[in-house]
Amino acid sequence: MENSSNFIKSIMKEDLEAGKHDKIVTRFPPEPNGYLHIGHAKSIVINFGLADDFNGQTNLRFDDTNPLKEDQEYVDSIKEDVKWLGYDWDELRFASDYFEEMYNKAVLLIKKGKAYVDDLSADEIREYRGTLTEPGKDSPYRSRSIEENLDLFERMRKGEFKNGEKVLRAKIDMASPNINLRDPVIYRIAHATHHNTGDKWCIYPMYAFAHPLEDAIEGVTHSLCTVEFEDQRPFYDWVIAECETENTPRQIEFGRLNITNTVMSKRKLKQLVDEKFVDGWDDPRMPTISGLRRRGFTPEAIREFVKETGVSKGSGFVDSAMLDHYVREDLKLKAPRTMGILRPLKVVITNYPEDKVEMLEAENNPENEEMGTRQIPFSREIYIEQEDFMEEPPKKYFRLFPGNEVRLKHAYFIKCEDVIKDVNGQIVEIHCTYDPETKSGTGFTGRKVKGTLHWVDAKHAIPAEFRLYEPLILDEESNGEDDETKTFLDYVNPNSLQIIQGFVEPNMKDVKPQDKFQFFRHGYFNVDPKYSTAEKPVFNLIVSLKSSFKLK
Ligand code: ATP
Ligand code: MG
């Protein structure tokens, strides 16, 4: 990864210098059983970034060995998300294309006396496996002859047995201190249609057996995975050695990315979708790549964020405010600035001529002159933000209140003269006067005011919907870990989405899905691709302007 060194990069460099490989080959190996989330972005950035550093190669490989949970929809979304993040794979591979080769390797193991067909049930296998403190014991089927095993395994393939009736196990050591080496299951029966191979197979390799073979078949040199696979490494190496593969890939583990106030496992995210806590995998509150995209996060911000979290063995929690920081940085110079009223309050400027409309000039981005200027209409009635008026203000409230004068951004000073209420005492509108001398851009220095408010012209403004978000999960650090009394669903924030109706400037009539803006004094917003229409734009709050987060 550019400019950064890390322990994996050092290993790759040493391996190249020692002549172990001609080039570095990595892979990003998602299982197509859900949409990608920002944790996967870390794996993507690491795998593609490191291979790039050495002019190497990265494959996108679907680890599709479990037909029960996998689907073409997920394959398609994963490809889209990897591309959107800015990466091009060298080769697109499917683990299921290697089923025949994997089957042959399993036969090889049987012939070497290194694998056997077991009739124990899943529960019995677990029982026989022992614990961290007690060794396991041998299955009564462990001593089957090679001939019998070859025959049974072939009949498993032919579909002669039901799901769960038999499995193929590696024959290693039932007393190994590493439980993963106590004769792990390497093939199981699953009568199910596979999204790629259809009904060709009814036996499927287990992940721990399939993965090293996939790596070896593709000539992957460094197989990067997350730390929970560390205890699997001895079995990974066993498979590579005993299956006598041509290539010798090396597994290296790095720490997972965890972010505060979110859950990051496909199982949990799928549950949020299935149980309708959110509006699909791409709901803007989801930590999925498609959700972040719809919310308005940019690939640049996500990549910078992931790089900043670094590559190490540890899996600490990263503050979600850090991601917000990077999207603000990215959009600061790119997003046009504009005015939007989220909670409107009408203001009538009583001394402004009834049918006059004037066009005022406004900069599109004061920090980026190249973005030019626009004309915004101003007339007798405008909307301001409800929170920008108080009838009885506390000390240090510099916005509008009876008798006080404020500046309207790009326009004039106005002074509050009267508050109009309905029969119930609810404020209906505010009456103000304006001072023509104070027009913005004319260099008026006569007097100063402390508050500057944003506004839109009432006659010309476009109605708009704003969708404001809070974190989906209220529990900051445990990632909504399940325990005896609670599951992560008990931590779902009931107020994570707020939908409000307001107004935007008339020149926003042509906004397109995924356009991004900074609404003055509010924050960055994205035009929602699902709900926005030509009649009524819908804006997702990406991040507010203020941040409590400081980069070290
Ligand atoms: P989940 O637990 O969310 O379902 P997974 O690990 O089962 O994720 P895979 O599709 O198997 O999902 O993951 C593809 C790759 O992404 C793997 O190499 C995995 O280690 C990596 N990955 C998944 N989650 C994270 C994370 N939070 N941080 C870094 N890498 C991750
Ligand atoms: Mg998984």
Side-chain angles (χ1 to χ4, degrees):
M1 293 153 69
E2 305 96 83
N3 308 323
S4 72
S5 67
N6 61 60
F7 76 98
I8 301 176
K9 193 170 175 176
S10 309
I11 292 173
M12 289 177 166
K13 194 157 171 270
E14 279 166 29
D15 287 352
L16 279 177
E17 282 166 3
K20 280 195 202 165
H21 318 286
D22 302 332
K23 71 169 179 182
I24 299 294
V25 181
T26 62
R27 87 287 172 260
F28 172 61
E31 183 181 356
N33 61 350
Y35 281 60
L36 295 184
H37 52 63
I38 190 163
H40 294 114
K42 177 153 196 161
S43 177
I44 292 170
V45 168
I46 290 176
N47 277 295
F48 282 87
L50 283 169
D52 261 4
D53 284 345
F54 297 102
N55 287 317
Q57 162 175 347
T58 305
N59 295 348
L60 172 60
R61 178 210 304 150
F62 288 98
D63 209 332
D64 55 350
T65 54
N66 179 3
L68 302 173
K69 293 186 173 163
E70 296 162 4
D71 201 278
Q72 187 63 35
E73 174 193 353
Y74 301 134
V75 171
D76 296 338
S77 74
I78 289 169
K79 288 202 259 183
E80 180 185 357
D81 289 349
V82 173
K83 278 192 197 148
W84 179 77
L85 280 171
Y87 296 97
D88 275 324
W89 49 87
D90 291 277
E91 288 174 35
L92 179 65
R93 299 294 195 108
F94 290 86
S96 53
D97 288 340
Y98 315 145
F99 280 165
E100 192 68 44
E101 234 168 313
M102 292 176 185
Y103 178 84
N104 291 336
K105 290 298 183 189
V107 170
L108 173 68
L109 290 181
I110 295 173
K111 285 184 178 158
K112 291 168 75 174
K114 298 282 183 177
Y116 61 100
V117 173
D118 197 352
D119 296 3
L120 291 184
S121 69
D123 284 341
E124 288 166 331
I125 288 177
R126 204 169 306 123
E127 239 178 80
Y128 275 65
R129 188 176 293 136
T131 64
L132 284 173
T133 47
E134 287 168 56
K137 53 178 185 186
D138 289 0
S139 160
Y141 304 98
R142 197 176 199 261
S143 49
R144 271 178 168 148
S145 70
I146 290 175
E147 288 67 35
E148 193 183 358
N149 281 319
L150 285 172
D151 175 59
L152 287 173
F153 189 49
E154 199 185 328
R155 288 166 57 195
M156 278 169 69
R157 176 181 183 165
K158 282 186 180 151
E160 289 185 25
F161 307 110
K162 290 200 277 295
N163 291 353
E165 234 175 76
K166 288 186 166 36
V167 292
L168 184 71
R169 299 178 69 174
K171 194 172 185 175
I172 309 178
D173 178 6
M174 287 307 292
S176 170
N178 183 338
I179 292 184
N180 296 300
L181 294 179
R182 293 183 191 168
D183 293 9
V185 174
I186 59 178
Y187 260 92
R188 59 176 182 136
I189 300 169
H191 292 274
T193 305
H194 187 282
H195 71 95
N196 187 24
T197 56
D199 293 322
K200 182 166 182 213
W201 293 89
C202 64
I203 55 171
Y204 291 93
M206 301 302 285
Y207 175 88
F209 175 65
H211 206 85
L213 292 177
E214 295 159 22
D215 288 336
I217 290 167
E218 293 176 19
V220 165
T221 55
H222 299 81
S223 176
L224 313 179
C225 64
T226 39
V227 279
E228 66 281 12
F229 291 100
E230 196 159 13
D231 293 343
Q232 288 281 4
R233 192 176 350 123
F235 183 60
Y236 184 103
D237 293 339
W238 184 92
V239 172
I240 294 299
E242 294 297 344
C243 290
E244 301 169 22
T245 61
E246 210 173 299
N247 301 305
T248 310
R250 170 173 180 186
Q251 174 180 310
I252 305 172
E253 308 84 19
F254 63 89
R256 295 179 81 79
L257 173 65
N258 291 305
I259 301 182
T260 55
N261 293 105
T262 189
V263 287
M264 241 202 293
S265 111
K266 282 182 284 193
R267 179 178 66 78
K268 290 177 180 172
L269 296 174
K270 186 167 188 314
Q271 213 175 333
L272 289 169
V273 174
D274 291 344
E275 297 181 27
K276 306 255 186 300
F277 283 91
V278 294
D279 157 39
W281 285 95
D282 67 346
D283 185 291
R285 292 165 289 182
M286 293 278 272
T288 51
I289 301 302
S290 50
L292 292 165
R293 172 167 64 231
R294 191 171 146 205
R295 176 84 171 258
F297 284 88
T298 59
E300 292 84 350
I302 294 172
R303 289 199 305 262
E304 286 310 308
F305 163 74
V306 163
K307 285 176 193 165
E308 178 65 26
T309 65
V311 182
S312 71
K313 286 265 182 195
S315 314
F317 269 83
V318 177
D319 193 332
S320 60
M322 189 166 136
L323 179 58
D324 296 345
H325 165 86
Y326 280 103
V327 77
R328 279 190 203 95
E329 281 296 300
D330 185 39
L331 293 179
K332 192 166 64 184
L333 302 182
K334 286 187 196 165
R337 316 242 170 135
T338 181
M339 297 193 287
I341 298 295
L342 274 54
R343 296 175 184 86
L345 171 63
K346 190 174 262 187
V347 172
V348 180
I349 302 161
T350 53
N351 62 339
Y352 196 88
E354 289 258 356
D355 1 283
K356 182 175 172 182
V357 180
E358 67 183 300
M359 298 305 286
L360 302 170
E361 183 165 82
E363 286 171 300
N364 286 331
N365 189 336
E367 291 184 67
N368 181 1
E369 267 186 31
E370 282 177 17
M371 296 186 80
T373 60
R374 69 188 183 284
Q375 302 285 316
I376 44 179
F378 180 78
S379 67
R380 195 167 191 263
E381 294 188 0
I382 62 170
Y383 293 116
I384 65 166
E385 216 61 72
Q386 282 169 19
E387 62 177 22
D388 282 341
F389 174 80
M390 282 184 96
E391 202 169 7
E392 288 165 42
K395 270 201 183 116
K396 297 205 171 155
Y397 185 84
F398 300 121
R399 306 177 219 174
L400 207 57
F401 55 88
N404 192 42
E405 190 173 46
V406 296
R407 177 199 310 273
L408 292 178
K409 179 84 174 166
H410 305 304
Y412 299 94
F413 288 11
I414 57 169
K415 184 173 175 187
C416 176
E417 309 284 358
D418 206 358
V419 183
I420 311 299
K421 296 180 183 170
D422 64 15
V423 286
N424 303 315
Q426 292 290 315
I427 298 175
V428 180
E429 59 188 37
I430 307 296
H431 286 186
C432 291
T433 51
Y434 87 117
D435 178 355
E437 298 291 301
T438 58
K439 185 171 177 175
S440 173
T442 58
F444 174 78
T445 52
R447 59 187 184 278
K448 287 209 160 72
V449 288
K450 284 211 165 122
T452 299
L453 310 188
H454 61 281
W455 55 276
V456 294
D457 185 77
K459 207 186 296 171
H460 302 92
I462 300 174
E465 180 171 302
F466 297 93
R467 296 178 159 241
L468 311 180
Y469 301 102
E470 282 182 17
L472 194 53
I473 302 293
L474 286 171
D475 181 34
E476 215 178 73
E477 290 261 314
S478 85
N479 223 354
E481 219 51 77
D482 301 347
D483 64 26
E484 311 83 60
T485 57
K486 284 182 169 169
T487 78
F488 78 100
L489 293 174
D490 294 307
Y491 295 101
V492 171
N493 180 356
N495 303 316
S496 57
L497 168 64
Q498 194 189 354
I499 301 179
I500 55 177
Q501 309 298 329
F503 294 97
V504 294
E505 293 180 20
N507 49 48
M508 299 287 270
K509 69 176 191 309
D510 296 325
V511 294
K512 287 186 289 300
Q514 298 293 129
D515 281 352
K516 293 163 185 61
F517 298 93
Q518 185 196 109
F519 283 107
F520 183 60
R521 294 173 72 218
H522 284 302
Y524 291 98
F525 286 78
N526 185 48
V527 178
D528 187 88
K530 186 162 173 186
Y531 294 122
S532 205
T533 62
E535 291 72 46
K536 190 182 213 181
V538 175
F539 295 95
N540 291 321
L541 174 65
I542 312 170
V543 276
S544 60
L545 286 180
K546 280 177 219 83
S547 156
S548 51
F549 181 75
K550 292 270 177 298
L551 265 192
K552 271 170 252 122

